[in-house]
Amino acid sequence: MTRCGLCPRHCRLEEGQTGFCRARFCRDGMILPKAYGKLTSLALDPVEKKPLARFFPGSRILSAGSFGCNMSCFFCQNAGISFAGEETVTHQMAPGELVILAESLKPSDNIGLAFTYNEPLLNPEFISDCIDLLRPRGMKTVLVTNGCFCLNALDGLLEKIDAFNIDLKGFTRGWYRRLGGDLEIVKVFIAAAAAVSHVEVTTLVVPGENDGEEEIAALSSWLASLRPDIPLHLSRFFPRHQAQGYPATDPDALKRLAQVARGSLRFVYLGNL
């Protein structure tokens, strides 16, 4: 039995067994990626869609997704791939092929590659290999992640990323436990990323769960303690996946929470309005 050290779940896997995330498995006593080069989504998006408000605004970025996630959010907005496996794969691309495609889109204002849609850090080997080919071409790498990963297992990958959007799903340990994550691990990840790269943070505001003014005040105050210029995106929730009984976030309530966050942070944006 081999333990995976990539995220705080630390799955213990028998030979041939796949972890909770559906994207890593045990072979010959090693934990390896199942998703290397396997894509479920590929699109040229505005960089603001990641969302990144203060990283090359007005440009576009080739966005690639795979399958699997190490958390279990009942309101997942991309459950079709995050809670799925290899059956959802639509493209098989080596790093060189993906990078050549990204470079060919420079005339369409493409600045690089974004790894997004599902949880990309389940496949750090592929990301790293793509970056090694992308950087000499003067192109950028963006990572959209839940940040619930052990830094010592990422082998210096954070320093190679040009910009992050990191989900900070709330600011209580209990909420994170319900979602299958660890708030303290995410806070350590955000702090480490903010020390080496451009970081923006997104919080999906779920009515009756993480929408209290005190919680948003504490969240934004903590972000400001790292850097008050970290942009925070407060995003409107719509019922998805197993959260069909929840109402959508009230836009006026979201605007009030934004005012609370602006008491600590310079840049607060509203999403999904």
Side-chain angles (χ1 to χ4, degrees):
M1 185 173 288
T2 304
R3 189 183 79 162
C4 179
L6 189 58
C7 91
R9 286 187 178 274
H10 298 305
C11 292
R12 293 184 178 274
L13 304 178
E14 302 281 2
E15 180 67 20
Q17 187 178 8
T18 298
F20 173 90
C21 66
R22 304 168 185 81
R24 300 189 73 79
F25 75 113
C26 180
R27 186 177 71 192
D28 298 329
M30 297 184 293
I31 305 298
L32 301 172
K34 295 184 77 172
Y36 191 97
K38 297 174 182 177
L39 305 181
T40 60
S41 308
L42 194 61
L44 186 63
D45 288 332
V47 73
E48 289 84 359
K49 191 177 176 181
K50 296 307 96 191
L52 291 170
R54 306 191 69 80
F55 183 78
F56 292 89
S59 62
R60 305 175 87 187
I61 192 158
L62 181 61
S63 301
S66 188
F67 59 87
C69 187
N70 62 327
M71 291 184 66
S72 53
C73 302
F74 64 90
F75 49 78
C76 181
Q77 308 292 288
N78 290 308
I81 55 176
S82 293
F83 287 85
E86 291 180 87
E87 70 278 3
T88 55
V89 172
T90 57
H91 303 78
Q92 178 82 49
M93 300 186 80
E97 294 175 293
L98 186 57
V99 168
I100 288 170
L101 176 59
E103 189 172 37
S104 75
L105 293 169
K106 278 185 174 180
S108 298
D109 298 323
N110 181 41
I111 61 170
L113 278 172
F115 297 93
T116 180
Y117 302 134
N118 74 310
E119 177 44 63
L121 276 180
L122 298 172
N123 202 1
E125 299 91 345
F126 183 69
I127 294 172
S128 183
D129 290 347
C130 288
I131 294 172
D132 290 344
L133 298 174
L134 199 65
R135 274 187 163 182
R137 291 168 165 81
M139 303 189 80
K140 305 298 183 183
T141 303
V142 167
L143 192 70
V144 182
T145 176
N146 64 37
C148 197
F149 288 88
C150 303
L151 295 181
N152 59 0
L154 292 175
D155 196 25
L157 180 61
L158 266 64
E159 290 80 359
K160 299 171 72 172
I161 306 295
D162 295 294
F164 292 82
N165 186 286
I166 304 170
D167 286 337
L168 183 52
K169 296 178 183 291
F171 213 62
T172 66
R173 293 180 180 180
W175 179 233
Y176 260 91
R177 280 195 297 270
R178 284 179 61 189
L179 306 181
D182 186 312
L183 174 59
E184 295 307 313
I185 292 285
V186 176
K187 287 168 66 178
V188 168
F189 186 99
I190 292 173
V196 295
S197 302
H198 178 86
V199 166
E200 303 192 20
V201 169
T202 295
T203 299
L204 183 68
V205 178
V206 183
E209 299 290 1
N210 63 347
D211 59 344
E213 291 189 7
E214 289 186 5
E215 182 169 349
I216 296 301
L219 183 154
S220 55
S221 177
W222 177 77
L223 283 176
S225 74
L226 301 178
R227 281 207 326 260
D229 61 346
I230 293 177
L232 173 64
H233 300 260
L234 294 176
S235 189
R236 190 183 184 201
F237 162 89
F238 291 96
R240 299 283 189 274
H241 193 38
Q242 297 171 344
Q244 298 298 329
Y246 281 72
T249 315
D250 178 67
D252 290 334
L254 200 65
K255 292 172 184 176
R256 287 194 297 271
L257 292 176
Q259 287 302 110
V260 171
R262 290 185 182 113
S264 298
L265 294 167
R266 290 174 58 192
F267 306 114
V268 180
Y269 300 94
L270 298 181
N272 289 344
L273 288 180

